[in-house]
Amino acid sequence: ATAGWAQLQQQLAAAEAELERAVIRAPVAGTVLTRKVEPGDGVRPGLEIAADAPGELLLPVDEKLVGRLRAGQPAIGIAEAYPDRPFSAQVYRIAPVVDPARGSVDVRLRLGADADFLRQDMTATATIRTGERTQALVVPNDALLDRSDGSQRASVLVVRDGRVRRVAVTLGLRGTTASEIRSGLRRDDIVLAAAQ
């Protein structure tokens, strides 16, 4: 009877070990994205999981602009699927290397609580606030002449005394559509777009 009892204990231990191997444990808490197995299938890797962590947005940024970025800068994002629902984000990691094929650097933005409607692999754009002025004289970027990407110098066409003149200006903060003018213009100057 003792030998039978020992054999039953070994069988129980083997069955418990088999049961332990049949349980799938994720390495992180998250949401199942795809399930590639069904109940009764042989056990093999077959799940994709999105970690339940603060969401992030991966943003490839042109390498020319990386010098203006810092961790902690605020951003506003817009998903293509929800253009009327802007969401907040913040720069938290800037890749240390440039992707030579694209000429860009990967910047990761941590999403705010108002981005809870976003889904894995959605397409979105973001605007990162790299600087801010409460009072600034700005002109549209299409009015800037003789401007190079790394330079703070440019010129604009200004109407003064009924004549069009080319005036040298010093640039400050620059955005995708307009740039700050630090010197060279007066508040009441009429500036012409370069195309005119």
Side-chain angles (χ1 to χ4, degrees), residues 78-91:
I78 297 177
E80 285 186 12
Y82 299 96
D84 298 333
R85 294 180 70 180
F87 56 89
S88 62
Q90 186 176 50
V91 175

Side-chain angles (χ1 to χ4, degrees), residues 16 28 43-44 97 117 122 162 196:
E16 287 174 341
V28 296
V43 177
R44 64 187 189 286
V97 296
F117 60 92
M122 278 188 161
Q196 295 177 332

Side-chain angles (χ1 to χ4, degrees), residues 16-35:
E16 287 174 341
E18 190 68 27
L19 179 62
E20 181 66 25
R21 285 192 299 272
V23 174
I24 299 172
R25 287 190 174 79
V28 296
T31 303
V32 173
L33 298 177
T34 61
R35 185 179 76 186

Side-chain angles (χ1 to χ4, degrees), residues 146-182:
D146 311 321
R147 173 180 64 142
S148 64
D149 288 331
S151 173
Q152 294 295 104
R153 308 289 304 161
S155 61
V156 294
L157 299 176
V158 177
V159 178
R160 288 187 182 157
D161 302 322
R163 299 186 63 104
V164 176
R165 297 193 168 117
R166 185 180 292 252
V167 175
V169 294
T170 303
L171 303 175
L173 296 175
R174 287 182 267 178
T176 55
T177 59
S179 295
E180 176 189 20
I181 304 298
R182 300 292 299 207

Side-chain angles (χ1 to χ4, degrees), residues 19-196:
L19 179 62
E20 181 66 25
R21 285 192 299 272
V23 174
I24 299 172
R25 287 190 174 79
V28 296
T31 303
V32 173
L33 298 177
T34 61
R35 185 179 76 186
K36 298 176 183 174
V37 294
E38 295 297 328
D41 286 352
V43 177
R44 64 187 189 286
L47 297 174
E48 287 183 22
I49 297 175
D52 283 343
E56 69 178 37
L57 177 64
L58 176 62
L59 186 67
V61 174
D62 189 302
E63 66 180 299
K64 294 180 228 170
L65 304 175
V66 171
R68 302 177 194 169
L69 300 179
R70 304 281 179 270
Q73 289 173 322
I76 298 293
I78 297 177
E80 285 186 12
Y82 299 96
D84 298 333
R85 294 180 70 180
F87 56 89
S88 62
Q90 186 176 50
V91 175
Y92 83 93
R93 185 172 185 280
I94 301 167
V97 296
V98 175
D99 179 334
R102 297 181 302 169
S104 64
V105 174
D106 285 342
V107 175
R108 293 187 182 273
L109 305 179
R110 177 91 12 102
L111 301 177
D114 57 349
D116 60 348
F117 60 92
L118 295 178
R119 299 292 171 257
Q120 188 80 11
D121 293 328
M122 278 188 161
T123 302
T125 58
T127 301
I128 301 170
R129 188 179 338 142
T130 59
E132 185 175 18
R133 302 258 196 269
T134 55
Q135 295 276 329
L137 181 62
V138 298
V139 298
N141 285 341
D142 64 358
L144 298 175
L145 305 169
D146 311 321
R147 173 180 64 142
S148 64
D149 288 331
S151 173
Q152 294 295 104
R153 308 289 304 161
S155 61
V156 294
L157 299 176
V158 177
V159 178
R160 288 187 182 157
D161 302 322
R163 299 186 63 104
V164 176
R165 297 193 168 117
R166 185 180 292 252
V167 175
V169 294
T170 303
L171 303 175
L173 296 175
R174 287 182 267 178
T176 55
T177 59
S179 295
E180 176 189 20
I181 304 298
R182 300 292 299 207
S183 66
L185 286 182
R186 298 184 301 245
R187 182 177 295 274
D188 58 348
D189 279 338
I190 297 171
V191 178
L192 302 177
Q196 295 177 332

